[in-house]
Amino acid sequence: MVSNRPLNLSQGFLQALGTKVFIYFENRIPQDAAVVVVSNHRSFMDPMMLMVGLKHPLRTACHHYMGEVPLLREVVTFLGCFPLANESKRGTSFVRQGKKFLNANDWLAVFPEGAQPMVNLTTPREIKPFQPGFAHLLLRSQIPNLAVLPVAILSEQEQVTSTIPLKFLHWFDPSENLFDQWTLHPMVIYERANLLIGRPYWVTPKIQKQYRGKQTKKGILELTDYCQEEIQTLLKTGY
């Protein structure tokens, strides 16, 4: 089981930045369950925001290049993140790693939009289409008492700065088309943000049985759409 170190570091980091976080619907957080947290993604601060809001350490799936850059690899690992495999092995590797963490009673966090909204920065209430990788994990895991928890991160006040050219990251992950440009990578720093907890979706054995034959695509779409629509509704509501 992951230690509380990532949570403690996250609390200290947000406090040092002076970031104010307001949590809504805390009563929806599952208790005594295996949990996969699904959230929108605009900032490097998002894993820390989730841990502080949920008051729970997380194993967060992060971009492949983060595991290839010296020093950055150590930092993200220290915060409980695990870099995804390269594109050719990403799906099977994610499911295998995810099941291992859930079986160890760790909570997982995933950002199904991928890197798109961080590179081509979206507005605080906008989300990009969700990729269904997390749904495959949930339906294949065969883990009892499993819940997926949609969480919306809504920035109310932030600073946006520019960092390194994206082309530098392409050297570490040539498979990522988003990095094949010289545009500067934007970086969002939250000053004030709301964390809105959605209604959990309980993945029962009956639902997991949908991951078979002709029912597979239907089960994946239902779970992916539920999370995207729940987060979109929370972002529109705002509180």
Side-chain angles (χ1 to χ4, degrees):
M1 184 174 183
V2 67
S3 70
N4 282 324
R5 183 180 64 189
L7 172 58
N8 296 334
L9 288 172
S10 298
Q11 290 171 331
F13 185 81
L14 295 188
Q15 187 175 22
L17 285 179
T19 303
K20 294 180 173 60
V21 185
F22 302 89
I23 299 94
Y24 295 86
F25 312 120
E26 286 183 88
N27 61 310
R28 294 174 173 174
I29 300 174
Q31 303 298 320
D32 301 319
V35 177
V36 176
V37 180
V38 176
S39 182
N40 56 314
H41 190 34
R42 297 178 61 247
S43 171
F44 73 98
M45 296 174 64
D46 291 336
M48 292 177 280
M49 296 284 288
L50 292 173
M51 282 189 273
V52 170
L54 298 173
K55 300 180 178 63
H56 201 289
L58 297 171
R59 290 284 192 178
T60 305
C62 62
H63 202 287
H64 173 67
Y65 86 86
M66 292 184 174
E68 303 298 309
V69 182
L71 187 59
L72 179 59
R73 175 175 57 240
E74 284 69 34
V75 171
V76 298
T77 302
F78 209 63
L79 286 170
C81 301
F82 63 100
L84 296 169
N86 60 34
E87 189 175 20
S88 63
K89 302 177 182 177
R90 189 162 300 165
T92 54
S93 174
F94 170 67
V95 171
R96 184 177 65 253
Q97 287 178 290
K99 288 175 69 174
K100 181 183 73 173
F101 291 138
L102 289 172
N103 280 316
N105 296 317
D106 292 339
W107 285 20
L108 289 184
V110 296
F111 301 112
E113 294 171 282
Q116 177 81 349
M118 292 190 67
V119 173
N120 301 315
L121 192 59
T122 55
T123 62
R125 283 181 164 80
E126 178 186 1
I127 58 174
K128 296 294 185 181
F130 279 13
Q131 300 170 21
F134 74 96
H136 286 275
L137 167 63
L138 288 158
L139 294 177
R140 287 179 60 181
S141 63
Q142 302 300 314
I143 292 174
N145 202 29
L146 175 62
V148 56
L149 184 66
V151 179
I153 301 172
L154 176 58
S155 174
E156 297 286 1
Q157 187 175 341
E158 64 187 32
Q159 292 182 14
V160 181
T161 60
S162 297
T163 57
I164 62 173
L166 290 163
K167 196 73 171 182
F168 287 178
L169 301 181
H170 192 263
W171 295 339
F172 296 100
D173 187 2
S175 67
E176 179 56 79
N177 294 329
L178 291 170
F179 297 160
D180 195 15
Q181 54 184 310
W182 285 103
T183 307
L184 294 179
H185 195 316
M187 181 171 67
V188 174
I189 300 175
Y190 299 130
E191 296 176 339
R192 178 187 177 96
N194 296 338
L195 206 75
L196 305 141
I197 314 298
R199 297 167 298 165
Y201 184 109
W202 291 92
V203 185
T204 63
K206 181 179 178 180
I207 291 174
Q208 289 177 334
K209 286 180 180 178
Q210 292 182 6
Y211 198 78
R212 294 178 183 174
K214 295 180 180 179
Q215 294 295 314
T216 299
K217 185 175 181 180
K218 178 183 177 183
I220 293 297
L221 288 175
E222 284 181 359
L223 190 48
T224 305
D225 289 347
Y226 175 85
C227 291
Q228 181 164 336
E229 290 168 7
E230 185 77 0
I231 291 172
Q232 186 69 78
T233 299
L234 291 168
L235 292 173
K236 287 180 179 178
T237 304
Y239 59 89

